[in-house]
Amino acid sequence: AAEVRAARDECRAEEAQLSYLRRLLQARLDLVRAEQRRRREGDGSTEALSERLATLLADAPPASRREARAVSVDPPATHMRRAEDRLASDATLARVPDLDEDALARLASELADREQEISRRRRALLDRLDRLQEELVARYRDGGTAAVDAIV
Amino acid sequence: DDPELAALWQRFSADGDPQARERLILQYAPLVKYVAGRVSVGLPSHVEVADLTSYGMFGLIDAVERYDPARGVRFESYAIQRIRGAIIDELRSLDWIPRSVRSKARQVEEALQDLEHRLGRSPGEEELAGELGMDLDEMRRTLSQVALTSVVALDEAVGGDDEARSPLVERLPDRSSPDPEARVDDAEMRRLLATTVDELGERERSVVVLYYFEGLTLAQIGEVLGVTESRVSQIHSKSVLALRGKIAG
Ligand SMILES: Nc1nc2c(ncn2[C@@H]2O[C@@H]3COP(=O)(O)O[C@H]4[C@@H](O)[C@H](n5cnc6c(=O)[nH]c(N)nc65)O[C@@H]4COP(=O)(O)O[C@H]3[C@H]2O)c(=O)[nH]1
Ligand SMILES: Nc1nc2c(ncn2[C@@H]2O[C@@H]3COP(=O)(O)O[C@H]4[C@@H](O)[C@H](n5cnc6c(=O)[nH]c(N)nc65)O[C@@H]4COP(=O)(O)O[C@H]3[C@H]2O)c(=O)[nH]1
């Protein structure tokens, strides 16, 4: 089971990085689209920035709730090292108030493409992770308490 | 890092420029989405998840105002800790576990501590039921009511009720965090869990390791141990309450 566990751990590390990246891209996309809406519809809102942001960042209830699993909230260790993740961490959002309509539209489509790609990769990775976990569950079950004791 | 962001921090820390402050809050707002989503996992269904981002925004604003770039800590890591802390503090003040259930959980926790001292080992369920003056079914029903699979529950178990630092937390080797108010992060929590897991019974040890270190769901753990998911949830609750007693003790 050691090699299955090693493959699972690798999957989990990559999934942590992808899920972190995905959430930052989704939030950026939603904030850029909100700015586009605000400019089109006029800025009637008197709410404080922080309240507007809180609403824009909230998730819709998911179609199917997942079973609870232990999650870590710390940022993943390999924090945004790759150049491709610049889109999720550079100063783009800080510049949004200065961008014109065309620049905002370009940014929104770039973020949407990237989010789709990352979500697709994450879906495939989650499927693989769940298969590996199921395999480990079968090995632990069949191996009895000895298999569990080996890791405890 | 990004020169534009460094310039914003410079403008804000030099003279508190309100525009720089607003842009920094906007820039880092996505961290709130990430943290709120993860803290929401395993919370009882009566907790309104959509409110978590509001609580989190206060944590982000607090982080922007207190951050000192000279300390050499990445802003993201510092902010994530503050956002998480702000959400958890708010949930605790709003009784994320209803008071009636919380007081029962407290009774179980105290009974676990008393028995542990008397027996010198982790008590079994029958012994615990006896100490509480309940039959086994009633005791298990009580454990079922306390849903403790979330980050909030573990933070509460490790951090304790009041602000006083618990003795076990201080024993962590590298509490050299630059921020005196920093809470215990996930890696430290798992280390704490690992140190106390040996003192749990065999069944509890398996549940804690399979949930926190192997990343299995409660249903998967039930499959491994040949018991129902609700039994796993009860065993897990008992383990977290026992952990709380050890850390506070
Ligand atoms: N092995 C395995 N792991 C899985 C699976 N689905 C999610 N995860 C992992 O488990 C974490 C918690 O998922 P959740 O309880 O559904 O909790 C989620 C969910 O409530 C919400 N969320 C995430 N993505 C979406 C989405 O696309 N739509 C909606 N409506 N909510 C989402 O944010 C929370 C945190 O999401 P993340 O940070 O991505 O963190 C996720 C992800 O790392 C799966 O099928 N198998
Ligand atoms: N419980 C739970 N469910 C999950 C999780 N990850 C995905 N899902 C479920 O799977 C559906 C498809 O997710 P996706 O392929 O990542 O595809 C997603 C993703 O590409 C994107 N998306 C999800 N959340 C957001 C968001 O907050 N903002 C933006 N801009 N896009 C989002 O929209 C697509 C559809 O999202 P939904 O309608 O929410 O529908 C989601 C959600 O119901 C998870 O971690 N936990």
Side-chain angles (χ1 to χ4, degrees), chain A residues 51-102:
Chain A
E51 259 328 294
R52 263 204 331 277
L53 289 177
T55 320
L56 293 170
L57 297 170
D59 277 321
S64 62
R65 277 177 79 88
R66 301 291 205 255
E67 285 183 70
R69 62 186 78 230
V71 280
S72 167
V73 179
D74 296 340
T78 54
H79 228 330
M80 304 306 187
R81 295 243 172 76
R82 298 187 288 256
E84 63 177 358
D85 302 341
R86 284 292 140 228
L87 197 60
S89 62
D90 64 12
T92 315
L93 272 186
R95 259 190 264 115
V96 155
D98 307 327
L99 299 179
D100 63 26
E101 266 59 16
D102 290 345

Side-chain angles (χ1 to χ4, degrees), chain A residues 22 26 29-30 59 62-64 66 115 119 122-123, chain B residues 33:
Chain A
R22 175 180 177 262
Q26 289 172 351
L29 180 57
D30 293 343
D59 277 321
S64 62
R66 301 291 205 255
E115 193 283 330
S119 282
R122 175 182 179 264
R123 261 199 313 276
Chain B
K33 185 178 186 74

Side-chain angles (χ1 to χ4, degrees), chain B residues 111-246:
Chain B
L112 278 167
Q113 247 180 303
D114 293 346
L115 275 172
E116 171 102 24
H117 284 310
R118 286 211 305 270
L119 300 172
R121 61 173 165 77
S122 173
E125 281 186 325
E126 276 88 351
E127 293 167 313
L128 182 60
E131 179 79 8
L132 288 163
M134 293 177 188
D135 63 34
L136 196 57
D137 278 343
E138 196 187 336
M139 208 251 331
R140 287 186 173 167
R141 266 201 308 283
T142 303
L143 286 176
S144 291
Q145 282 177 316
V146 206
L148 298 176
T149 48
S150 64
V151 170
V152 185
L154 200 55
D155 185 277
E156 204 167 312
V158 167
D161 255 348
D162 46 17
E163 277 317 298
R165 275 287 153 236
S166 59
L168 203 62
V169 170
E170 286 317 307
R171 287 200 338 235
L172 277 172
D174 53 1
R175 283 294 289 161
S176 53
S177 123
D179 176 34
E181 290 168 74
R183 301 171 88 96
V184 180
D185 66 15
D186 294 300
E188 289 170 327
M189 271 199 216
R190 280 169 203 228
R191 263 202 299 281
L192 270 176
L193 261 175
T195 54
T196 57
V197 140
D198 292 335
E199 297 159 45
L200 290 173
E202 184 185 323
R203 186 49 67 87
E204 283 128 29
R205 198 168 52 237
S206 300
V207 167
V208 165
V209 170
L210 292 174
Y211 186 71
Y212 293 103
F213 297 94
E214 289 289 289
L216 299 184
T217 63
L218 297 182
Q220 287 172 322
I221 296 170
E223 247 186 276
V224 171
L225 300 180
V227 293
T228 64
E229 181 177 351
S230 68
R231 276 296 292 130
V232 176
S233 172
Q234 289 163 4
I235 294 167
H236 175 265
S237 291
K238 179 171 177 267
S239 311
V240 175
L241 291 173
L243 172 68
R244 220 198 127 95
K246 278 190 227 310

Side-chain angles (χ1 to χ4, degrees), chain B residues 56-68:
Chain B
M57 277 309 295
F58 291 114
L60 174 68
I61 291 168
D62 191 46
V64 166
E65 291 183 341
R66 288 167 186 257
Y67 180 63
D68 174 3

